[in-house]
Amino acid sequence: MSTRPGRRRSVRTRAPIALLIPAWVGLAFLVLPLVGLVARTPWGSIGERLADPAVFAALRLSLFTATVATVACLVFGVPLAWLLARVPFRGRRIVRAFVTVPLVLPPVVGGVALFLALGRRGLVGSFIYEHTGFSLPFTTAGVIVAEAFVAMPFLVISVEGALRAADTRFEEAAATLGAGGWTTFRRVTLPLVAPGVAAGAVLCWARALGEFGATITFAGNFPGRTQTMPLAVYLAMETDPAAAIVLSLVLLVVCVAILALLRERWVGAL
């Protein structure tokens, strides 16, 4: 009996115990802390704690800075992804390596690097401060910069992958019809990779929302100005553990919502 070409036959095999046991232990290791967080949440006072001025200020600041950082990443990251995917040039691998460095760089180290580059005495920051009197660290703008630094690689990698997978014949057809480079990108390329851009933007926003190390190093932890939700969780663990649990639950809900939004993308890639 023949099978249709291109369709793989699924062979059901009995899973060995030597693999099942560590697999379930690994799953429990990942799920158990989340169950503990949900189980210890003070559900009766969650509304009251979210309405607390300090908690609400951290939540509002986090949403604002993560959104602005994502917009900045879109403005600069999409062209960077297009450059890496469409323009062959010498040293492209080195550029791609620099783009992905924040993914593996400890966030605290990223914060130190930002401070040395954009601080009052930094390579660029000293010039800005000398001519404008503006110092970026320990400000809300500093939070946005720190979040964009650690989140932009997620957007660039996602968009670059979408660009490489897109059919270039549509762009070539637009060029033969007389469309310029910007028109082709805006009317042909961008619609083709729109799902990849959207997925990258969502991942970028989620990473910016959860950023801690670079933010506290570069922008500090000042309530109402630079204290985002992860920083508020860190501070609340010492003074009000219940508030820390509530804020952690909010971040968990956001992460689950992100996975739900991207579910179709992950399923389609399998």
Side-chain angles (χ1 to χ4, degrees):
M1 181 177 179
S2 61
T3 59
R4 294 181 180 179
R7 177 175 296 181
R8 289 180 289 182
R9 296 177 59 186
S10 59
V11 180
R12 300 185 64 178
T13 58
R14 187 175 180 180
I17 299 298
L19 294 178
L20 280 178
I21 293 178
W24 284 109
V25 171
L27 179 63
F29 173 74
L30 296 175
V31 174
L32 187 60
L34 305 180
V35 174
L37 175 62
V38 175
R40 296 296 299 272
T41 299
W43 296 102
S45 61
I46 188 171
E48 178 183 349
R49 294 188 179 278
L50 286 176
D52 181 85
V55 174
F56 182 75
L59 176 61
R60 181 178 58 186
L61 181 65
S62 294
L63 295 176
F64 171 74
T65 55
T67 302
V68 176
T70 302
V71 172
C73 290
L74 284 169
V75 171
F76 299 105
V78 172
L80 178 57
W82 176 86
L83 178 69
L84 292 173
R86 287 288 191 267
V87 181
F89 60 92
R90 184 175 299 178
R92 183 165 59 174
R93 292 184 178 179
I94 298 176
V95 174
R96 185 178 291 111
F98 278 116
V99 169
T100 56
V101 160
L103 291 176
V104 296
L105 190 71
V108 174
V109 177
V112 173
L114 287 172
F115 205 93
L116 295 177
L118 301 175
R120 184 176 297 184
R121 297 182 180 178
L123 295 176
V124 179
S126 59
F127 177 83
I128 297 175
Y129 181 74
E130 180 181 352
H131 289 80
T132 65
F134 175 72
S135 181
L136 191 59
F138 310 113
T139 63
T140 303
V143 175
I144 296 171
V145 169
E147 291 178 348
F149 176 77
V150 300
M152 187 182 291
F154 290 88
L155 176 70
V156 174
I157 291 174
S158 179
V159 176
E160 183 188 359
L163 284 167
R164 290 185 177 276
D167 193 342
T168 59
R169 290 178 298 178
F170 296 100
E171 297 173 329
E172 295 170 356
T176 57
L177 293 174
W182 170 245
T183 302
T184 301
F185 173 79
R186 182 168 51 90
R187 295 190 176 183
V188 179
T189 307
L190 202 55
L192 282 175
V193 299
V197 174
V202 172
L203 289 174
C204 178
W205 186 83
R207 180 64 185 90
L209 187 69
E211 165 51 30
F212 175 82
T215 302
I216 197 172
T217 306
F218 184 63
N221 188 11
F222 301 101
R225 189 172 65 184
T226 65
Q227 187 180 87
T228 57
M229 282 199 294
L231 274 63
V233 170
Y234 175 77
L235 184 64
M237 281 299 296
E238 301 178 357
T239 58
D240 189 1
I245 293 174
V246 170
L247 280 173
S248 299
L249 181 67
V250 172
L251 290 173
L252 175 61
V253 170
V254 170
C255 292
V256 172
I258 295 301
L259 291 177
L261 287 173
L262 296 179
R263 178 181 178 276
E264 293 300 327
R265 180 172 176 83
W266 304 141
V267 171
L270 296 179

